[in-house]
Amino acid sequence: MKKIKSIESIRVSVPFETGGARQGMRPGLTPWMKMESLMLRVETDDGISGWGEGFGHFVNPATEAALQTQVGPWFLGRDPSDIHSLMDLAHRSFFGFGRHGPVMYALSAVDIALWDLAAKRSGQPLFRMLGGSHGELRRYASLMRYGGDAEAIAANCVRARDAGFSMIKLHEREIPAFLAARESVEPEVQITLDVNCPWSVKEARGVVRSIREENFHWLEEPVWPPDDFEGLAVVREEGMAIAAGENVHTVHELKRCLEAGAVDVAQPSVAKVGGITPMRRMIDLAHSFGVRVVPHSFYWGPGYLATAHVIAAMPEPALLETTFVSFEIPPHPLMDPMQPTLVLSESAGLGFEPDWQALEPLVVNRQRVTARQ
Ligand SMILES: [Mg+2]
C-alpha cells in the first residue's frame, strides 16, 4: 500500500505583458502585474510525485492557508490509490468549511495531484488514462481586460488572429469595445464576450437586444449574481448564446443551472470544483442535457494542464482557454499562450515539467505541510 509521505505548496508569481495598459479584470479591482499560480506537490512513500493547482490569483494566500492548516495535514499518511473514495471522504470531512472558496480550491489541488500520480504510476499520459486518443488541442485566446480601450482591443484581436487563433474572448463591458473587436478581424474569427456578472436581468436583456445581430459567438456571465440561473435563462431567451459556469462549484449546482435552461455553454473550472474527479462528472452531466462544455481555465500551472488533459479525453475536445499574455519566463514549456495549438506530452501523468532553476526567483512562498500535532 502506497501512502502520501509529503505535501508541499509553492506559490509562483510570473511577470507578463498584455499588449496594452494594465487593468483590473473588473472595474475597481487591482491591476494584475504578475500571474500567480499556487502549485501543490504530493509525494508518496515510493518516491513518485504528483502536481496540482488550486484557484487562484489574489485569493492564493487563503487557499495556501487552507492547504497548510486543514486539507494538507488530513491527507498525510493516507493511501491515494482509490481517488474517488478518498476524495469523497475528504469532501464529507470538509463540507462545513464551504462548498465554494479556499477549502474547495485546496481540495481541487490535491485531487489534480492524485490524478497526476495515478497516471504516472500507470505509465500513461493522463488524457490517455481517461480514455482520450490524442493530445493535440486548439487553444482560444482569452484576452486580458483593456478597460474599454478600443485601440488596444482591436490591436490584440489582430495579434491573436495573426498568431492563428480562431476564437478570441474579450473581458470588456462596453458595447463600443465589443464592436471594435468585431470590426478588427474577419467575421469567421469567433469573438466571445466575457463580462463577469455586471448586470441585472433587465440590463442584460437590453444589451443583448443591441448586439444580438452583430455576430458574437457567446455572451459569458451577463447577470449578477452568478447563481441567478433563472435570470440567465430569461436573458438567453433573447436569442444570444449564453456561457457560464466558472462560478458553479459543485455537480448539484451545475444540475440546477442546466435544469433552469441557463446556458448554451457550460464552463466548469478544474481548480475550483474539487479537481478532475467532479470535473468529469460535470462534463458528463452537461452533455446529458445536450449542453456544450468549454472549461474555464485562467491558469498557468498544473491546473492548466489538468484542464487540457480533461478536454483531450472529451468525446469531442473543446477549445482550451488560454490567457493571451506573454510571459517573461514561461511557468513550464507547454504554457506558450501565443501558440494556437498545444500538444500534450506523451510522458506519464500531466507532463508538468517546469524549469525550477529559472522559476526559483519567481517563487513567492514554498512551504511543506506538517502533520497536525
Ligand atoms: Mg469567464
Side-chain angles (χ1 to χ4, degrees):
M1 190 172 81
K2 308 286 180 282
K3 285 193 173 156
I4 295 174
K5 185 180 81 177
S6 75
I7 301 176
E8 185 182 37
S9 61
I10 305 170
R11 276 169 57 207
V12 176
S13 184
V14 188
F16 66 96
E17 280 301 327
T18 68
R22 303 302 176 108
Q23 299 279 339
M25 284 308 275
R26 290 187 285 286
L29 286 183
T30 315
W32 292 17
M33 304 312 285
K34 293 181 175 176
M35 293 297 186
E36 226 194 73
S37 175
L38 171 56
M39 303 174 184
L40 192 74
R41 193 174 69 84
V42 175
E43 189 181 347
T44 46
D45 51 12
D46 56 349
I48 301 180
S49 292
W51 286 95
E53 180 174 358
F55 188 85
H57 319 316
F58 294 115
V59 86
N60 275 339
T63 307
E64 181 183 51
L67 274 165
Q68 288 293 334
T69 63
Q70 300 295 325
V71 175
W74 188 92
F75 278 94
L76 283 177
R78 293 188 190 264
D79 176 1
S81 49
D82 182 346
I83 299 175
H84 289 90
S85 299
L86 183 58
M87 291 310 300
D88 182 61
L89 185 60
H91 283 281
R92 286 168 186 266
S93 301
F94 287 108
F95 77 89
F97 297 156
R99 299 281 280 154
H100 291 195
V103 169
M104 278 289 275
Y105 308 156
L107 288 165
S108 307
V110 176
D111 179 278
I112 294 167
L114 298 188
W115 280 101
D116 186 24
L117 267 170
K120 280 178 178 159
R121 205 162 265 135
S122 82
Q124 310 170 74
L126 180 60
F127 71 88
R128 238 183 262 293
M129 186 178 151
L130 300 178
S133 56
H134 68 94
E136 189 171 333
L137 297 176
R138 287 194 63 77
R139 292 170 157 128
Y140 79 82
S142 192
L143 269 52
M144 296 297 286
R145 181 175 145 78
Y146 298 98
D149 178 346
E151 213 171 298
I153 294 161
N156 281 288
C157 286
V158 169
R159 196 157 69 110
R161 186 271 319 270
D162 288 349
F165 288 91
S166 59
M167 187 165 101
I168 300 168
K169 184 158 92 180
L170 308 187
H171 285 94
E172 308 292 334
R173 291 182 168 182
E174 306 81 9
I175 292 174
F178 303 159
L179 298 177
R182 188 59 284 173
E183 285 158 17
S184 68
V185 291
E186 297 73 9
E188 54 272 21
V189 177
Q190 294 173 338
I191 305 269
T192 69
L193 308 173
D194 186 356
V195 293
N196 294 113
C197 314
W199 300 314
S200 69
V201 171
K202 190 176 169 206
E203 288 166 339
R205 290 176 79 183
V207 173
V208 170
R209 284 173 190 167
S210 330
I211 60 170
R212 64 185 165 199
E213 307 300 331
E214 304 291 343
N215 184 26
F216 293 109
H217 190 60
W218 75 55
L219 176 63
E220 182 170 329
E221 292 199 307
V223 167
W224 174 258
D227 50 344
D228 180 5
F229 304 133
E230 290 73 22
L232 275 178
V234 169
V235 176
R236 188 171 165 238
E237 281 170 13
E238 293 292 339
M240 232 178 132
I242 299 294
E246 71 188 81
N247 289 300
V248 168
H249 293 79
T250 67
V251 175
H252 283 81
E253 196 181 2
L254 179 65
K255 187 159 178 266
R256 288 194 290 279
C257 171
L258 296 165
E259 283 170 348
V263 292
D264 297 274
V265 181
Q267 303 170 297
S269 188
V270 75
K272 288 179 161 186
V273 298
I276 289 167
T277 311
M279 186 76 178
R280 298 188 74 220
R281 290 194 195 120
M282 291 168 107
I283 291 170
D284 289 346
L285 182 66
H287 286 162
S288 76
F289 278 76
V291 167
R292 180 180 162 200
V293 179
V294 184
H296 168 264
S297 175
F298 226 68
Y299 303 116
W300 303 277
Y304 179 78
L305 291 178
T307 313
H309 281 268
V310 165
I311 287 177
M314 282 166 57
E316 284 175 47
L319 292 173
L320 172 63
E321 179 173 20
T322 302
T323 319
F324 191 66
V325 296
S326 316
F327 287 109
E328 224 167 78
I329 301 169
H332 54 94
L334 296 176
M335 187 73 242
D336 183 351
M338 295 291 146
Q339 290 296 326
T341 54
L342 163 67
V343 182
L344 286 168
S345 163
E346 283 295 330
S347 61
L350 288 174
F352 178 66
E353 286 149 12
D355 177 352
W356 280 110
Q357 219 169 357
L359 284 186
E360 204 50 47
L362 309 179
V363 171
V364 178
N365 195 28
R366 182 193 289 269
Q367 208 175 335
R368 223 178 163 88
V369 170
T370 50
R372 259 197 222 117
Q373 299 304 313

